[in-house]
Amino acid sequence: MIRISNLPSFLAGAIMTPDRQTTLRNLKRLLPASLIAGLAGGGLLVLLTYVHTWCWGGIACYNHGLFDAIGTFQNLVLGILSLLLAGMLPAALSREGGTRRGSAVLAGGIAGFTAFLVLEMYSMVTAAFGHGYAAGLSDVLSLAHDTLANHALPLLAIGLAMAALAALGAFVVSFFRERAAGPSEGAAASRLILCSTVALILVAVVLPPLAAHAMLGAGMVDVNPGTALMTTAVSVERTAPDTLVLTAREVPPASVLDPGAPFSVFMNGVDVSNASACTASGFAATVEPAGGLEAIKGSEATWTGAGVLNNGTPVGVVVMAHGVDGSELVVMNLVV
């Protein structure tokens, strides 16, 4: 065994200096926090994918060009902020004065790469189980093998980029902690940076969808009526043997619907959209309200009479929505 003391001084210094010993000790102490922060950061990125779907899934079809662009930019901002936050956590939660900036930055990079691994594992699992059949561990492993074999370099580049962003977050926190007048001031600065980043994430999550909804409500967005009609949802319920109730569960903005006849209702192939249509067709039923189903979320219309009676033969109910541009879409077709 070769002892460091027997080596030339420059080699011994290159192998282990006091600074390197301190760095290794700091890194060993920060490693658990780095892994936990990476898991939290990866979990946050996964959660944000569901939040994005929930926020934009119902309105993106109104104007794909505009809302897809806003949603993509929002995802980019949220991803950057989430990685910065993941990198900040190990440095911000470490003992004041016991961590060098280099160790903190390296710990942040580890957190960022861990977040990348979590996100990639989530993508593989959802891809393996998203084909409509029961997948197993072998399917996930096979997909992982194919992904690494075909896309190793791009994935490595993405992982390193995510690690770099997290390392940047760690650098920011460690920089301000080192510049603080004392331990208390350093801890306060860390908390301020963390809370500010969390606040920015919340603002980036909430503000764009709220602004989009406000713009839709104010008529500031050019809406495609044909695609907007796809968000319409109407339900039917038999409340009595001779009574059917239709309810508008979801409706697009009023500006995309034909103001004269937003909905057409057919029962057994007969137009019964309103009281006048029932009278003209001789359909044995009354409509309440007389104007039929209104284009308002939660509105109801009731058809009562022998024409909707289920005496062993159910009634076929079809509801069609009409766009202001003349487009039409069947939004319900049921037999009750």
Side-chain angles (χ1 to χ4, degrees):
M1 179 180 295
I2 300 176
R3 301 181 59 174
I4 293 179
S5 58
N6 295 331
L7 294 174
S9 59
F10 71 92
L11 287 178
I15 292 175
M16 189 62 65
T17 63
D19 286 345
R20 293 191 178 187
Q21 290 177 342
T22 302
T23 299
L24 288 176
R25 285 198 301 268
N26 289 334
L27 184 58
K28 184 182 296 185
R29 180 165 49 83
L30 287 173
L31 186 58
S34 300
L35 296 177
I36 294 174
L39 292 174
L44 178 60
L45 290 172
V46 171
L47 176 63
L48 289 175
T49 61
Y50 289 98
V51 172
H52 179 271
T53 301
W54 180 74
C55 289
W56 296 102
I59 64 173
C61 64
Y62 293 153
N63 190 316
H64 280 292
L66 175 63
F67 292 146
D68 285 351
I70 295 176
T72 300
F73 182 72
Q74 180 195 32
N75 275 342
L76 178 62
V77 172
L78 288 174
I80 292 174
L81 290 175
S82 299
L83 290 170
L84 290 175
L85 180 64
M88 291 175 182
L89 287 174
L93 300 178
S94 65
R95 179 165 47 86
E96 182 66 39
T99 303
R100 293 180 179 272
R101 190 184 304 173
S103 302
V105 170
L106 184 56
I110 293 174
F113 198 80
T114 303
F116 161 74
L117 294 177
V118 171
L119 187 61
E120 186 62 25
M121 181 60 67
Y122 164 77
S123 300
M124 291 182 182
V125 171
T126 53
F129 287 87
H131 296 292
Y133 61 87
L137 180 60
S138 60
D139 298 294
V140 178
L141 294 177
S142 176
L143 180 60
H145 175 270
D146 294 340
T147 301
L148 292 175
N150 298 320
H151 308 288
L153 289 180
L155 288 175
L156 179 61
I158 294 172
L160 292 177
M162 293 175 67
L165 284 172
L168 178 61
F171 175 83
V172 171
V173 170
S174 60
F175 176 82
F176 282 100
R177 292 191 72 165
E178 289 182 1
R179 293 295 185 274
S184 299
E185 290 78 3
S190 299
R191 288 193 297 269
L192 178 61
I193 295 173
L194 285 177
C195 292
S196 299
T197 305
V198 172
L200 287 174
I201 290 175
L202 292 176
V203 170
V205 167
V206 174
L207 188 58
L210 285 181
H213 280 281
M215 292 167 65
L216 280 173
M220 299 170 60
V221 177
D222 292 331
V223 178
N224 185 336
T227 56
L229 293 180
M230 297 172 61
T231 63
T232 308
V234 178
S235 66
V236 60
E237 180 183 6
R238 182 175 290 280
T239 58
D242 63 345
T243 303
L244 291 177
V245 178
L246 270 64
T247 304
R249 301 294 182 184
E250 296 289 342
V251 295
S255 59
V256 307
L257 291 170
D258 184 347
F263 294 117
S264 292
V265 180
F266 300 88
M267 295 186 181
N268 291 334
V270 179
D271 185 1
V272 295
S273 302
N274 48 50
S276 299
C278 284
T279 301
S281 62
F283 192 79
T286 59
V287 184
E288 179 63 35
L293 186 63
E294 298 180 349
I296 301 174
K297 183 177 180 179
S299 64
E300 294 183 347
T302 303
W303 281 257
T304 305
V308 297
L309 179 65
N310 185 352
N311 54 3
T313 302
V315 178
V317 183
V318 176
V319 179
M320 181 179 293
H322 301 275
V324 69
D325 62 346
S327 57
E328 297 178 339
L329 181 69
V330 174
V331 295
M332 190 188 73
N333 187 356
L334 295 174
V335 176
V336 291

